[in-house]
Amino acid sequence: MCLLPDVIAEKVTDLTPEFLKSRGIEFLMLDFDNTLLPYTVNTPTSEVLRWLDGLKRAKIGLCVVSNSRKDRVKVFCKQQNIPCITHARKPFSKGIRTCLAEFGLTPERCALVGDQIYTDVLGANSNKVQSILVKAIHNHTVWLKLRHVAELPWIALAKERRISK
C-alpha cells in the first residue's frame, strides 16, 4: 500500500497534454469534488473548461471517477460530454476497475487525478494506475482541513515529484 503520489501538481490545469503524454498517459480518471470544482460550486471556471477542451483536442481520454452520490457530478459530466462513474468507493477498486473495463484500458497508460491521498492516490496506486495529487481547491470545513494536515507527511516525502509551472 503506497500513499506517495507519482506526481504532485498545484492544480489540475497544470497537467498539460504534453506533460501527460511524456509520462505515457493516454487516459485521465478525474476526481470531481475539490479537484475540478469546489464542493460548494456547480459551475466550472473558464480555465477548467479550456483545459478540458485542450485534453479532448489532444486525444487524452477522460472519465470522472467520483465517490460522490450527488446529481451535480452527472449534470456536469453531461454538460461537458465526459463519461462518469459515481459511487466509485475509492480507495477500493470498484470505480477504477469499472472505468478500465468500460474503456478497454490498461492501467499503465492511465492516471487518476485527485485531491486526496487516502482515497485518490491510494486507489490509483493499488490499481497500478499512475497517481496525480493536486491541491484541494477549497478546504471549507474543519474535516477537510484536518484531512489535509494528516496528508502533509506524505506530501513532504513526495516533494521531489512536484511539477512546476
Side-chain angles (χ1 to χ4, degrees), residues 92-136:
F92 301 106
S93 297
K94 178 185 177 258
I96 296 167
R97 290 279 169 214
T98 298
C99 183
L100 292 170
E102 192 170 308
F103 294 97
L105 303 166
T106 59
E108 47 283 336
R109 307 302 279 168
C110 302
L112 190 152
V113 182
D115 67 301
Q116 296 186 46
I117 285 181
Y118 300 112
T119 56
D120 303 311
V121 171
L122 181 57
N125 290 345
S126 298
N127 286 282
K128 308 287 190 259
V129 171
Q130 293 185 58
S131 56
I132 301 176
L133 179 69
V134 295
K135 184 178 176 184

mmCIF file of all heavy atoms in Angstrom, residues 92-136:
data_model
loop_
_atom_site.group_PDB
_atom_site.id
_atom_site.type_symbol
_atom_site.label_atom_id
_atom_site.label_comp_id
_atom_site.label_asym_id
_atom_site.label_seq_id
_atom_site.Cartn_x
_atom_site.Cartn_y
_atom_site.Cartn_z
ATOM 1 N N PHE A 92 -11.083 1.821 -2.768
ATOM 2 C CA PHE A 92 -11.320 0.460 -3.240
ATOM 3 C C PHE A 92 -11.351 0.433 -4.769
ATOM 4 O O PHE A 92 -11.463 1.449 -5.424
ATOM 5 C CB PHE A 92 -12.618 -0.089 -2.640
ATOM 6 C CG PHE A 92 -12.589 -0.096 -1.133
ATOM 7 C CD1 PHE A 92 -13.330 0.829 -0.417
ATOM 8 C CD2 PHE A 92 -11.785 -0.988 -0.443
ATOM 9 C CE1 PHE A 92 -13.289 0.847 0.969
ATOM 10 C CE2 PHE A 92 -11.730 -0.981 0.947
ATOM 11 C CZ PHE A 92 -12.486 -0.049 1.659
ATOM 12 N N SER A 93 -11.270 -0.724 -5.331
ATOM 13 C CA SER A 93 -11.064 -0.891 -6.777
ATOM 14 C C SER A 93 -12.298 -0.689 -7.646
ATOM 15 O O SER A 93 -12.168 -0.506 -8.851
ATOM 16 C CB SER A 93 -10.513 -2.295 -7.050
ATOM 17 O OG SER A 93 -9.261 -2.448 -6.453
ATOM 18 N N LYS A 94 -13.484 -0.723 -7.059
ATOM 19 C CA LYS A 94 -14.725 -0.769 -7.846
ATOM 20 C C LYS A 94 -14.776 0.239 -9.001
ATOM 21 O O LYS A 94 -14.884 -0.136 -10.159
ATOM 22 C CB LYS A 94 -15.916 -0.559 -6.922
ATOM 23 C CG LYS A 94 -17.257 -0.539 -7.653
ATOM 24 C CD LYS A 94 -18.400 -0.201 -6.702
ATOM 25 C CE LYS A 94 -19.701 -0.111 -7.435
ATOM 26 N NZ LYS A 94 -20.125 1.265 -7.686
ATOM 27 N N GLY A 95 -14.718 1.520 -8.712
ATOM 28 C CA GLY A 95 -14.861 2.536 -9.737
ATOM 29 C C GLY A 95 -13.713 2.561 -10.730
ATOM 30 O O GLY A 95 -13.907 2.734 -11.932
ATOM 31 N N ILE A 96 -12.509 2.369 -10.239
ATOM 32 C CA ILE A 96 -11.326 2.375 -11.105
ATOM 33 C C ILE A 96 -11.366 1.183 -12.050
ATOM 34 O O ILE A 96 -11.159 1.318 -13.257
ATOM 35 C CB ILE A 96 -10.039 2.395 -10.256
ATOM 36 C CG1 ILE A 96 -9.973 3.707 -9.459
ATOM 37 C CG2 ILE A 96 -8.797 2.199 -11.126
ATOM 38 C CD1 ILE A 96 -8.937 3.728 -8.354
ATOM 39 N N ARG A 97 -11.666 0.014 -11.518
ATOM 40 C CA ARG A 97 -11.748 -1.193 -12.361
ATOM 41 C C ARG A 97 -12.899 -1.091 -13.362
ATOM 42 O O ARG A 97 -12.781 -1.537 -14.500
ATOM 43 C CB ARG A 97 -11.909 -2.449 -11.497
ATOM 44 C CG ARG A 97 -10.682 -2.787 -10.718
ATOM 45 C CD ARG A 97 -9.704 -3.507 -11.604
ATOM 46 N NE ARG A 97 -8.427 -3.594 -10.935
ATOM 47 C CZ ARG A 97 -7.261 -3.555 -11.550
ATOM 48 N NH1 ARG A 97 -7.198 -3.457 -12.853
ATOM 49 N NH2 ARG A 97 -6.143 -3.619 -10.888
ATOM 50 N N THR A 98 -14.003 -0.510 -12.948
ATOM 51 C CA THR A 98 -15.131 -0.303 -13.868
ATOM 52 C C THR A 98 -14.700 0.578 -15.031
ATOM 53 O O THR A 98 -14.997 0.287 -16.195
ATOM 54 C CB THR A 98 -16.332 0.321 -13.126
ATOM 55 O OG1 THR A 98 -16.767 -0.579 -12.100
ATOM 56 C CG2 THR A 98 -17.479 0.610 -14.073
ATOM 57 N N CYS A 99 -13.989 1.650 -14.734
ATOM 58 C CA CYS A 99 -13.518 2.558 -15.781
ATOM 59 C C CYS A 99 -12.554 1.833 -16.726
ATOM 60 O O CYS A 99 -12.692 1.931 -17.947
ATOM 61 C CB CYS A 99 -12.834 3.769 -15.150
ATOM 62 S SG CYS A 99 -12.288 4.992 -16.355
ATOM 63 N N LEU A 100 -11.590 1.113 -16.178
ATOM 64 C CA LEU A 100 -10.629 0.381 -17.012
ATOM 65 C C LEU A 100 -11.358 -0.591 -17.939
ATOM 66 O O LEU A 100 -11.073 -0.650 -19.142
ATOM 67 C CB LEU A 100 -9.620 -0.368 -16.139
ATOM 68 C CG LEU A 100 -8.630 0.484 -15.345
ATOM 69 C CD1 LEU A 100 -7.857 -0.384 -14.354
ATOM 70 C CD2 LEU A 100 -7.674 1.235 -16.254
ATOM 71 N N ALA A 101 -12.308 -1.330 -17.389
ATOM 72 C CA ALA A 101 -13.039 -2.325 -18.190
ATOM 73 C C ALA A 101 -13.931 -1.667 -19.234
ATOM 74 O O ALA A 101 -13.959 -2.092 -20.393
ATOM 75 C CB ALA A 101 -13.871 -3.219 -17.267
ATOM 76 N N GLU A 102 -14.641 -0.613 -18.831
ATOM 77 C CA GLU A 102 -15.585 0.054 -19.736
ATOM 78 C C GLU A 102 -14.892 0.628 -20.972
ATOM 79 O O GLU A 102 -15.450 0.628 -22.061
ATOM 80 C CB GLU A 102 -16.307 1.170 -18.980
ATOM 81 C CG GLU A 102 -17.493 1.730 -19.719
ATOM 82 C CD GLU A 102 -18.323 2.646 -18.836
ATOM 83 O OE1 GLU A 102 -18.695 2.227 -17.728
ATOM 84 O OE2 GLU A 102 -18.580 3.778 -19.275
ATOM 85 N N PHE A 103 -13.664 1.100 -20.799
ATOM 86 C CA PHE A 103 -12.949 1.714 -21.909
ATOM 87 C C PHE A 103 -11.846 0.824 -22.487
ATOM 88 O O PHE A 103 -11.095 1.253 -23.361
ATOM 89 C CB PHE A 103 -12.373 3.071 -21.482
ATOM 90 C CG PHE A 103 -13.442 4.073 -21.176
ATOM 91 C CD1 PHE A 103 -13.849 4.298 -19.870
ATOM 92 C CD2 PHE A 103 -14.075 4.767 -22.197
ATOM 93 C CE1 PHE A 103 -14.850 5.202 -19.583
ATOM 94 C CE2 PHE A 103 -15.084 5.668 -21.926
ATOM 95 C CZ PHE A 103 -15.484 5.893 -20.616
ATOM 96 N N GLY A 104 -11.741 -0.413 -21.997
ATOM 97 C CA GLY A 104 -10.739 -1.343 -22.512
ATOM 98 C C GLY A 104 -9.317 -0.849 -22.298
ATOM 99 O O GLY A 104 -8.474 -0.944 -23.192
ATOM 100 N N LEU A 105 -9.041 -0.335 -21.111
ATOM 101 C CA LEU A 105 -7.760 0.299 -20.819
ATOM 102 C C LEU A 105 -6.814 -0.603 -20.037
ATOM 103 O O LEU A 105 -7.263 -1.463 -19.282
ATOM 104 C CB LEU A 105 -7.994 1.564 -19.992
ATOM 105 C CG LEU A 105 -8.908 2.622 -20.603
ATOM 106 C CD1 LEU A 105 -9.311 3.639 -19.555
ATOM 107 C CD2 LEU A 105 -8.214 3.287 -21.778
ATOM 108 N N THR A 106 -5.522 -0.365 -20.222
ATOM 109 C CA THR A 106 -4.519 -0.979 -19.354
ATOM 110 C C THR A 106 -4.081 0.076 -18.342
ATOM 111 O O THR A 106 -3.936 1.257 -18.699
ATOM 112 C CB THR A 106 -3.305 -1.492 -20.153
ATOM 113 O OG1 THR A 106 -2.727 -0.394 -20.861
ATOM 114 C CG2 THR A 106 -3.712 -2.579 -21.132
ATOM 115 N N PRO A 107 -3.874 -0.301 -17.089
ATOM 116 C CA PRO A 107 -3.578 0.685 -16.043
ATOM 117 C C PRO A 107 -2.360 1.563 -16.326
ATOM 118 O O PRO A 107 -2.375 2.757 -16.026
ATOM 119 C CB PRO A 107 -3.340 -0.173 -14.797
ATOM 120 C CG PRO A 107 -4.029 -1.454 -15.068
ATOM 121 C CD PRO A 107 -3.978 -1.654 -16.554
ATOM 122 N N GLU A 108 -1.322 1.009 -16.921
ATOM 123 C CA GLU A 108 -0.085 1.771 -17.095
ATOM 124 C C GLU A 108 -0.209 2.959 -18.058
ATOM 125 O O GLU A 108 0.627 3.855 -18.038
ATOM 126 C CB GLU A 108 1.086 0.877 -17.487
ATOM 127 C CG GLU A 108 0.855 -0.124 -18.573
ATOM 128 C CD GLU A 108 0.063 -1.363 -18.152
ATOM 129 O OE1 GLU A 108 0.023 -1.732 -16.965
ATOM 130 O OE2 GLU A 108 -0.545 -1.964 -19.054
ATOM 131 N N ARG A 109 -1.245 3.023 -18.845
ATOM 132 C CA ARG A 109 -1.457 4.154 -19.774
ATOM 133 C C ARG A 109 -2.450 5.166 -19.203
ATOM 134 O O ARG A 109 -2.875 6.085 -19.893
ATOM 135 C CB ARG A 109 -1.972 3.650 -21.136
ATOM 136 C CG ARG A 109 -1.140 2.559 -21.786
ATOM 137 C CD ARG A 109 0.281 2.943 -22.026
ATOM 138 N NE ARG A 109 0.393 3.731 -23.241
ATOM 139 C CZ ARG A 109 1.477 4.399 -23.581
ATOM 140 N NH1 ARG A 109 2.531 4.384 -22.817
ATOM 141 N NH2 ARG A 109 1.522 5.109 -24.675
ATOM 142 N N CYS A 110 -2.830 4.975 -17.937
ATOM 143 C CA CYS A 110 -3.849 5.805 -17.303
ATOM 144 C C CYS A 110 -3.291 6.487 -16.058
ATOM 145 O O CYS A 110 -2.324 6.031 -15.464
ATOM 146 C CB CYS A 110 -5.038 4.955 -16.859
ATOM 147 S SG CYS A 110 -5.825 4.053 -18.187
ATOM 148 N N ALA A 111 -3.960 7.559 -15.673
ATOM 149 C CA ALA A 111 -3.671 8.223 -14.397
ATOM 150 C C ALA A 111 -4.994 8.603 -13.750
ATOM 151 O O ALA A 111 -5.989 8.829 -14.435
ATOM 152 C CB ALA A 111 -2.816 9.466 -14.611
ATOM 153 N N LEU A 112 -4.965 8.651 -12.434
ATOM 154 C CA LEU A 112 -6.098 9.147 -11.672
ATOM 155 C C LEU A 112 -5.646 10.436 -11.001
ATOM 156 O O LEU A 112 -4.626 10.451 -10.318
ATOM 157 C CB LEU A 112 -6.551 8.130 -10.633
ATOM 158 C CG LEU A 112 -7.884 8.441 -9.946
ATOM 159 C CD1 LEU A 112 -8.562 7.153 -9.511
ATOM 160 C CD2 LEU A 112 -7.728 9.360 -8.758
ATOM 161 N N VAL A 113 -6.389 11.515 -11.225
ATOM 162 C CA VAL A 113 -6.079 12.820 -10.657
ATOM 163 C C VAL A 113 -7.073 13.119 -9.555
ATOM 164 O O VAL A 113 -8.288 13.058 -9.780
ATOM 165 C CB VAL A 113 -6.174 13.930 -11.727
ATOM 166 C CG1 VAL A 113 -5.806 15.276 -11.128
ATOM 167 C CG2 VAL A 113 -5.313 13.608 -12.928
ATOM 168 N N GLY A 114 -6.567 13.457 -8.381
ATOM 169 C CA GLY A 114 -7.456 13.800 -7.282
ATOM 170 C C GLY A 114 -6.758 14.606 -6.216
ATOM 171 O O GLY A 114 -5.537 14.780 -6.242
ATOM 172 N N ASP A 115 -7.538 15.067 -5.250
ATOM 173 C CA ASP A 115 -7.015 15.949 -4.202
ATOM 174 C C ASP A 115 -6.794 15.238 -2.865
ATOM 175 O O ASP A 115 -6.386 15.880 -1.904
ATOM 176 C CB ASP A 115 -7.972 17.131 -3.989
ATOM 177 C CG ASP A 115 -9.307 16.684 -3.415
ATOM 178 O OD1 ASP A 115 -9.982 15.852 -4.062
ATOM 179 O OD2 ASP A 115 -9.680 17.163 -2.332
ATOM 180 N N GLN A 116 -7.033 13.932 -2.801
ATOM 181 C CA GLN A 116 -6.914 13.233 -1.525
ATOM 182 C C GLN A 116 -5.962 12.041 -1.622
ATOM 183 O O GLN A 116 -6.091 11.206 -2.525
ATOM 184 C CB GLN A 116 -8.276 12.722 -1.060
ATOM 185 C CG GLN A 116 -9.262 13.824 -0.758
ATOM 186 C CD GLN A 116 -10.538 13.276 -0.166
ATOM 187 O OE1 GLN A 116 -10.501 12.432 0.730
ATOM 188 N NE2 GLN A 116 -11.675 13.741 -0.667
ATOM 189 N N ILE A 117 -5.063 11.961 -0.668
ATOM 190 C CA ILE A 117 -4.114 10.843 -0.650
ATOM 191 C C ILE A 117 -4.805 9.551 -0.245
ATOM 192 O O ILE A 117 -4.589 8.510 -0.860
ATOM 193 C CB ILE A 117 -2.929 11.160 0.289
ATOM 194 C CG1 ILE A 117 -2.020 12.174 -0.408
ATOM 195 C CG2 ILE A 117 -2.172 9.894 0.678
ATOM 196 C CD1 ILE A 117 -0.797 12.578 0.352
ATOM 197 N N TYR A 118 -5.668 9.602 0.779
ATOM 198 C CA TYR A 118 -6.244 8.375 1.332
ATOM 199 C C TYR A 118 -7.368 7.786 0.481
ATOM 200 O O TYR A 118 -7.844 6.692 0.765
ATOM 201 C CB TYR A 118 -6.718 8.611 2.765
ATOM 202 C CG TYR A 118 -5.579 9.031 3.662
ATOM 203 C CD1 TYR A 118 -5.522 10.315 4.191
ATOM 204 C CD2 TYR A 118 -4.530 8.167 3.947
ATOM 205 C CE1 TYR A 118 -4.466 10.710 5.008
ATOM 206 C CE2 TYR A 118 -3.470 8.556 4.750
ATOM 207 C CZ TYR A 118 -3.449 9.823 5.270
ATOM 208 O OH TYR A 118 -2.391 10.208 6.063
ATOM 209 N N THR A 119 -7.808 8.476 -0.536
ATOM 210 C CA THR A 119 -8.792 7.913 -1.461
ATOM 211 C C THR A 119 -8.211 7.834 -2.870
ATOM 212 O O THR A 119 -8.059 6.754 -3.422
ATOM 213 C CB THR A 119 -10.093 8.741 -1.472
ATOM 214 O OG1 THR A 119 -9.792 10.096 -1.781
ATOM 215 C CG2 THR A 119 -10.824 8.651 -0.154
ATOM 216 N N ASP A 120 -7.870 8.977 -3.451
ATOM 217 C CA ASP A 120 -7.449 9.030 -4.853
ATOM 218 C C ASP A 120 -6.074 8.400 -5.086
ATOM 219 O O ASP A 120 -5.919 7.530 -5.945
ATOM 220 C CB ASP A 120 -7.451 10.482 -5.347
ATOM 221 C CG ASP A 120 -8.803 11.151 -5.174
ATOM 222 O OD1 ASP A 120 -9.811 10.542 -5.577
ATOM 223 O OD2 ASP A 120 -8.857 12.257 -4.622
ATOM 224 N N VAL A 121 -5.077 8.827 -4.334
ATOM 225 C CA VAL A 121 -3.715 8.302 -4.526
ATOM 226 C C VAL A 121 -3.658 6.827 -4.159
ATOM 227 O O VAL A 121 -3.125 6.009 -4.916
ATOM 228 C CB VAL A 121 -2.681 9.119 -3.721
ATOM 229 C CG1 VAL A 121 -1.313 8.445 -3.733
ATOM 230 C CG2 VAL A 121 -2.587 10.542 -4.274
ATOM 231 N N LEU A 122 -4.205 6.477 -3.018
ATOM 232 C CA LEU A 122 -4.199 5.071 -2.602
ATOM 233 C C LEU A 122 -4.958 4.203 -3.599
ATOM 234 O O LEU A 122 -4.496 3.118 -3.972
ATOM 235 C CB LEU A 122 -4.793 4.928 -1.200
ATOM 236 C CG LEU A 122 -4.840 3.513 -0.626
ATOM 237 C CD1 LEU A 122 -3.455 2.878 -0.591
ATOM 238 C CD2 LEU A 122 -5.451 3.549 0.775
ATOM 239 N N GLY A 123 -6.100 4.666 -4.064
ATOM 240 C CA GLY A 123 -6.870 3.904 -5.048
ATOM 241 C C GLY A 123 -6.100 3.712 -6.341
ATOM 242 O O GLY A 123 -6.060 2.615 -6.900
ATOM 243 N N ALA A 124 -5.483 4.771 -6.835
ATOM 244 C CA ALA A 124 -4.698 4.672 -8.075
ATOM 245 C C ALA A 124 -3.526 3.712 -7.897
ATOM 246 O O ALA A 124 -3.328 2.794 -8.708
ATOM 247 C CB ALA A 124 -4.194 6.057 -8.490
ATOM 248 N N ASN A 125 -2.761 3.919 -6.837
ATOM 249 C CA ASN A 125 -1.573 3.084 -6.621
ATOM 250 C C ASN A 125 -1.941 1.614 -6.423
ATOM 251 O O ASN A 125 -1.228 0.725 -6.899
ATOM 252 C CB ASN A 125 -0.766 3.598 -5.432
ATOM 253 C CG ASN A 125 -0.089 4.930 -5.721
ATOM 254 O OD1 ASN A 125 0.013 5.355 -6.871
ATOM 255 N ND2 ASN A 125 0.359 5.598 -4.679
ATOM 256 N N SER A 126 -3.033 1.359 -5.746
ATOM 257 C CA SER A 126 -3.468 -0.026 -5.516
ATOM 258 C C SER A 126 -3.896 -0.722 -6.795
ATOM 259 O O SER A 126 -3.903 -1.944 -6.868
ATOM 260 C CB SER A 126 -4.628 -0.062 -4.519
ATOM 261 O OG SER A 126 -4.226 0.450 -3.271
ATOM 262 N N ASN A 127 -4.260 0.069 -7.808
ATOM 263 C CA ASN A 127 -4.731 -0.485 -9.078
ATOM 264 C C ASN A 127 -3.711 -0.311 -10.204
ATOM 265 O O ASN A 127 -4.063 -0.467 -11.374
ATOM 266 C CB ASN A 127 -6.066 0.157 -9.448
ATOM 267 C CG ASN A 127 -7.180 -0.374 -8.583
ATOM 268 O OD1 ASN A 127 -7.670 -1.473 -8.812
ATOM 269 N ND2 ASN A 127 -7.570 0.375 -7.570
ATOM 270 N N LYS A 128 -2.481 0.063 -9.839
ATOM 271 C CA LYS A 128 -1.371 0.202 -10.805
ATOM 272 C C LYS A 128 -1.617 1.310 -11.828
ATOM 273 O O LYS A 128 -1.083 1.278 -12.929
ATOM 274 C CB LYS A 128 -1.088 -1.123 -11.528
ATOM 275 C CG LYS A 128 -0.894 -2.315 -10.608
ATOM 276 C CD LYS A 128 0.424 -2.237 -9.901
ATOM 277 C CE LYS A 128 0.755 -3.519 -9.163
ATOM 278 N NZ LYS A 128 0.523 -3.482 -7.760
ATOM 279 N N VAL A 129 -2.464 2.277 -11.459
ATOM 280 C CA VAL A 129 -2.741 3.448 -12.284
ATOM 281 C C VAL A 129 -1.842 4.569 -11.750
ATOM 282 O O VAL A 129 -1.662 4.685 -10.535
ATOM 283 C CB VAL A 129 -4.232 3.839 -12.167
ATOM 284 C CG1 VAL A 129 -4.523 5.163 -12.818
ATOM 285 C CG2 VAL A 129 -5.114 2.749 -12.760
ATOM 286 N N GLN A 130 -1.268 5.390 -12.615
ATOM 287 C CA GLN A 130 -0.446 6.491 -12.144
ATOM 288 C C GLN A 130 -1.291 7.432 -11.295
ATOM 289 O O GLN A 130 -2.429 7.742 -11.637
ATOM 290 C CB GLN A 130 0.172 7.248 -13.328
ATOM 291 C CG GLN A 130 1.183 6.410 -14.098
ATOM 292 C CD GLN A 130 1.858 7.206 -15.190
ATOM 293 O OE1 GLN A 130 2.474 8.236 -14.931
ATOM 294 N NE2 GLN A 130 1.738 6.726 -16.422
ATOM 295 N N SER A 131 -0.723 7.888 -10.185
ATOM 296 C CA SER A 131 -1.454 8.755 -9.257
ATOM 297 C C SER A 131 -0.924 10.181 -9.356
ATOM 298 O O SER A 131 0.280 10.418 -9.310
ATOM 299 C CB SER A 131 -1.312 8.242 -7.825
ATOM 300 O OG SER A 131 0.053 8.129 -7.455
ATOM 301 N N ILE A 132 -1.863 11.110 -9.514
ATOM 302 C CA ILE A 132 -1.519 12.531 -9.582
ATOM 303 C C ILE A 132 -2.319 13.253 -8.509
ATOM 304 O O ILE A 132 -3.559 13.270 -8.545
ATOM 305 C CB ILE A 132 -1.816 13.128 -10.967
ATOM 306 C CG1 ILE A 132 -1.031 12.372 -12.049
ATOM 307 C CG2 ILE A 132 -1.459 14.618 -10.978
ATOM 308 C CD1 ILE A 132 -1.333 12.818 -13.475
ATOM 309 N N LEU A 133 -1.610 13.846 -7.562
ATOM 310 C CA LEU A 133 -2.241 14.596 -6.482
ATOM 311 C C LEU A 133 -2.233 16.075 -6.829
ATOM 312 O O LEU A 133 -1.201 16.621 -7.214
ATOM 313 C CB LEU A 133 -1.468 14.378 -5.174
ATOM 314 C CG LEU A 133 -2.001 15.122 -3.944
ATOM 315 C CD1 LEU A 133 -3.349 14.539 -3.511
ATOM 316 C CD2 LEU A 133 -0.990 15.053 -2.801
ATOM 317 N N VAL A 134 -3.389 16.707 -6.726
ATOM 318 C CA VAL A 134 -3.481 18.155 -6.886
ATOM 319 C C VAL A 134 -3.940 18.752 -5.561
ATOM 320 O O VAL A 134 -4.597 18.083 -4.754
ATOM 321 C CB VAL A 134 -4.440 18.565 -8.030
ATOM 322 C CG1 VAL A 134 -3.913 18.102 -9.375
ATOM 323 C CG2 VAL A 134 -5.845 18.062 -7.795
ATOM 324 N N LYS A 135 -3.578 19.999 -5.355
ATOM 325 C CA LYS A 135 -4.005 20.703 -4.152
ATOM 326 C C LYS A 135 -5.518 20.863 -4.183
ATOM 327 O O LYS A 135 -6.090 21.209 -5.225
ATOM 328 C CB LYS A 135 -3.322 22.067 -4.107
ATOM 329 C CG LYS A 135 -3.608 22.857 -2.870
ATOM 330 C CD LYS A 135 -2.844 24.167 -2.905
ATOM 331 C CE LYS A 135 -3.204 25.017 -1.715
ATOM 332 N NZ LYS A 135 -2.545 26.327 -1.794
ATOM 333 N N ALA A 136 -6.167 20.602 -3.059
ATOM 334 C CA ALA A 136 -7.616 20.786 -2.967
ATOM 335 C C ALA A 136 -7.972 22.232 -3.283
ATOM 336 O O ALA A 136 -7.285 23.155 -2.843
ATOM 337 C CB ALA A 136 -8.117 20.413 -1.573
#
